[in-house]
Amino acid sequence: MEFDLDRIFKTRREKVVSYLKEHALAAAVFEDSEDRRDVSIRYFTGHPSDALLVLTADGAECLCPWDENLAAQKAHVGELVPYTAYDRSAEKALPALLEKCGCPAGARVAFSPDISYRNFCRYEKALGAAAASWKLDCSEDSVHRYVVSLRSRKDEYEIYCTKQAARITDAMTEVIWSKVRSGEFANESDVALYIEKQLRADGCERTSFDTLAAGPARSFAIHAFPGYTGGSWGTAGLSILDFGVCYEGYASDCTITVARGPLSKAQEQLLDLVEAAAAECRRLYVPGGKVRDAARKADEIFAAAGLAMPHGLGHGTGLEIHEAPFVSKRSGEDVLFEAGNIVTLEPGLYDPKLGGVRLENDVLITATGNEVLTGSRIFRL
């Protein structure tokens, strides 16, 4: 499938330009660095690595990448100036970029509210010393929070990339299931190292997060530590595999449980309850539905059996593995599912003696309901 990436990235940047105009901001600065990662630069340009990006209310734009060769290949943006032009110093680069983009003297320049105090002071000093003496604005509710909301509603290209990640994830899940049945995979590292190798053969960049392969002795943990060992997996009891892949930056996030008998009645109950919660809560993943209601439904199902889920029901995915919206009973009453959200649905129950069960799929909220993008399930042996 072909996409006009120049148009897609430009459309995203134009939404920020409109926001800047409406809120009397002269420019917005996005920084992706070792100090604090921000995937917004990739969202607006396609560039996947360290850089500064300046967007102004007048529509000027400039990307200043650490790796100019990579940016020349990956970035879709109006102007590109490498860090080498500014001695690889962000403090030197930023005033020069603002001047290059025609940002008016004394104007408000929006920076992420998540910037560290140390870096805030560095940039404030650099901007104050510049001839134009711009004002650094780190308001909590500003353009950077607006970008978070933009990213929560996926466009056609983002949906395509996520579906590709989901397709590759499902294919690997089926191979893993086959090799567990045949006995070829019998420990955690068999599964995790297969994923690491195969995802690259399938054209993915990396895992979405560190793979969690927890056999019967370790599946009681929500996120087993370490992520995987040489211990048994898929053997008698309950085993969990939580993994995902990144395709063109977009993440899948799935969890399967392998239940190999003989199982106790209590273990069977955990399996049945998690499957029931997944089915019931999916009905609430609809546009306009309250996110909190879905989380509460899972809690009600488990509470009726005297059990409780120790984590949220789901979260958005995209260029980051955890994005808005977050499906939790702590979500505000005004947080609603919207068409374009891609959200996990991951009920789980865990017991130190019985082991753990989690079932996680990625769900696209559509205009009329939802579409489950992945085929994770509980495998019984």
Side-chain angles (χ1 to χ4, degrees), residues 39-40 43 147-154 158 162 249-251 314-327 340-344:
V39 298
S40 297
Y43 178 73
V147 172
V148 170
S149 69
L150 280 182
R151 288 177 41 222
S152 73
R153 300 181 296 275
K154 273 52 182 181
E158 295 178 287
T162 307
Y250 286 86
H315 56 84
T317 66
L319 288 170
E320 293 181 293
I321 191 58
H322 293 124
E323 296 189 352
F326 293 89
V327 189
N341 292 157
I342 297 179
V343 195
T344 65

Side-chain angles (χ1 to χ4, degrees), residues 71-106:
Q73 182 186 69
K74 295 286 189 180
H76 300 259
V77 68
E79 187 166 3
L80 192 154
V81 182
Y83 260 133
T84 50
Y86 308 108
D87 299 326
R88 294 190 177 275
S89 167
E91 297 97 284
K92 290 182 180 180
L94 183 54
L97 295 174
L98 290 170
E99 185 175 353
K100 190 177 191 63
C101 288
C103 188

Side-chain angles (χ1 to χ4, degrees), residues 304-340:
L307 299 171
M309 180 171 65
H311 56 74
L313 183 61
H315 56 84
T317 66
L319 288 170
E320 293 181 293
I321 191 58
H322 293 124
E323 296 189 352
F326 293 89
V327 189
S328 166
K329 59 188 178 185
R330 296 190 302 275
S331 299
E333 286 287 346
D334 59 341
V335 180
L336 308 178
F337 289 114
E338 298 180 80

Side-chain angles (χ1 to χ4, degrees), residues 96-350:
L97 295 174
L98 290 170
E99 185 175 353
K100 190 177 191 63
C101 288
C103 188
R108 294 167 61 211
V109 176
F111 230 96
S112 171
D114 296 325
I115 187 174
S116 70
Y117 179 70
R118 176 177 65 90
N119 284 351
F120 174 86
C121 291
R122 287 166 52 203
Y123 282 118
E124 187 176 47
K125 182 178 179 180
L127 294 184
S133 189
W134 296 280
K135 180 183 178 182
L136 190 59
D137 189 320
C138 293
S139 301
E140 181 72 20
D141 186 18
S142 186
V143 63
H144 292 77
R145 289 290 180 262
Y146 170 67
V147 172
V148 170
S149 69
L150 280 182
R151 288 177 41 222
S152 73
R153 300 181 296 275
K154 273 52 182 181
D155 59 32
E156 57 180 349
Y157 177 66
E158 295 178 287
I159 292 171
Y160 168 79
C161 290
T162 307
K163 285 185 174 182
Q164 289 295 97
R167 177 186 59 79
I168 292 166
T169 300
D170 281 352
M172 287 196 290
T173 296
E174 294 305 319
V175 171
I176 291 166
W177 172 229
S178 173
K179 291 183 180 295
V180 168
R181 291 200 316 272
S182 70
E184 187 175 347
F185 284 178
N187 62 59
E188 296 172 355
S189 59
D190 287 339
V191 177
L193 295 178
Y194 162 76
I195 292 169
E196 289 286 347
K197 181 178 180 180
Q198 188 60 41
L199 72 88
R200 289 163 175 82
D202 289 335
C204 293
E205 300 173 359
R206 56 181 173 82
T207 56
S208 307
F209 51 92
D210 291 341
T211 297
L212 300 169
R218 304 191 322 123
S219 64
F220 64 86
I222 300 169
H223 286 168
F225 181 83
Y228 61 90
T229 69
S232 61
W233 191 88
T235 51
L238 303 174
S239 297
I240 284 177
L241 173 63
D242 187 351
F243 80 107
V245 301
C246 279
Y247 182 87
E248 294 297 326
Y250 286 86
S252 63
D253 185 3
C254 297
T255 306
I256 64 170
T257 297
V258 173
R260 185 188 287 266
L263 300 177
S264 67
K265 289 184 178 180
Q267 287 174 317
E268 292 283 3
Q269 182 188 37
L270 295 183
L271 295 169
D272 292 343
L273 285 169
V274 167
E275 286 182 319
E280 287 297 316
C281 293
R282 179 191 168 185
R283 296 188 177 95
L284 301 177
Y285 275 51
V286 294
K290 291 183 179 180
V291 166
R292 181 184 288 187
D293 287 351
R296 285 174 171 170
K297 172 57 70 174
D299 286 346
E300 289 171 6
I301 292 170
F302 296 144
L307 299 171
M309 180 171 65
H311 56 74
L313 183 61
H315 56 84
T317 66
L319 288 170
E320 293 181 293
I321 191 58
H322 293 124
E323 296 189 352
F326 293 89
V327 189
S328 166
K329 59 188 178 185
R330 296 190 302 275
S331 299
E333 286 287 346
D334 59 341
V335 180
L336 308 178
F337 289 114
E338 298 180 80
N341 292 157
I342 297 179
V343 195
T344 65
L345 171 55
E346 48 181 301
L349 293 169
Y350 315 87

